Amino acid sequence: MTAPGTETRGVRPAARGRAGWRTQAPVIAVVAAGGALGALARYALTLAWPAPPGGFPWATFWTNVSGCACMGVLMVLVTDVWSAHRLLRPFLGTGVLGGFTTFSTYAVDIRRLADAGRPALAAGYLAATLCAALAAVWLASAAARRVLTGRQR
């Protein structure tokens, strides 16, 4: 039974499911493609800038901070500046930047630092990444909004 006003008359349930899949398939495809690109970029950074055992994971830190700053700029662009294609935000935001930023590696890095007998560094890394990532997205979106639209929020 469906809620009043939500019936789809004359369309079989299986047909509704296929139609829903057809509209979601492009979104899933661009998120997957963007995620692959973002993850490759992140992996390249960790190869170029490896963290020594027990050392501060700078590559992961700057990946997350720069990815959050890019997300702040992207959100201003797609909400205030551009009339963006419906697949742009899923491709760049969820896909590329979601694959590029790596909060799962951030958690593993914290655990590795703690296991290496560096609990103070682990706690500092935890707090520094969180604060820097939040500051980056806020500052980047505020700066982008001011520069690109001339508005403040």
Side-chain angles (χ1 to χ4, degrees):
M1 174 148 236
T2 59
T6 61
E7 305 89 3
T8 306
R9 298 178 197 271
V11 178
R12 295 186 321 263
R16 282 194 304 268
R18 284 192 300 272
W21 170 249
R22 274 189 228 112
T23 61
Q24 292 302 311
V27 175
I28 293 167
V30 299
V31 168
L37 292 173
L40 285 171
R42 173 178 31 93
Y43 183 65
L45 272 175
T46 60
L47 290 178
W49 197 1
F56 194 89
W58 287 107
T60 304
F61 177 81
W62 287 114
T63 295
N64 288 331
V65 173
S66 64
C68 286
C70 290
M71 183 61 76
V73 172
L74 175 66
M75 289 300 102
V76 170
L77 288 172
V78 299
T79 60
D80 295 355
V81 178
W82 297 336
S83 176
H85 187 278
R86 74 178 189 93
L87 297 176
L88 183 68
R89 188 173 6 185
F91 174 72
L92 291 175
T94 306
V96 174
L97 293 174
F100 182 66
T101 57
T102 173
F103 286 94
S104 58
T105 301
Y106 160 66
V108 169
D109 287 343
I110 293 165
R111 176 72 185 255
R112 284 185 184 151
L113 288 170
D115 289 347
R118 310 279 314 264
L121 185 58
Y125 173 57
L126 185 151
T129 299
L130 178 62
C131 292
L134 289 172
V137 74
W138 182 79
L139 289 170
S141 62
R145 186 169 286 110
R146 184 167 192 141
V147 168
L148 298 172
T149 68
R151 291 193 332 245
Q152 283 183 296
R153 259 192 213 170

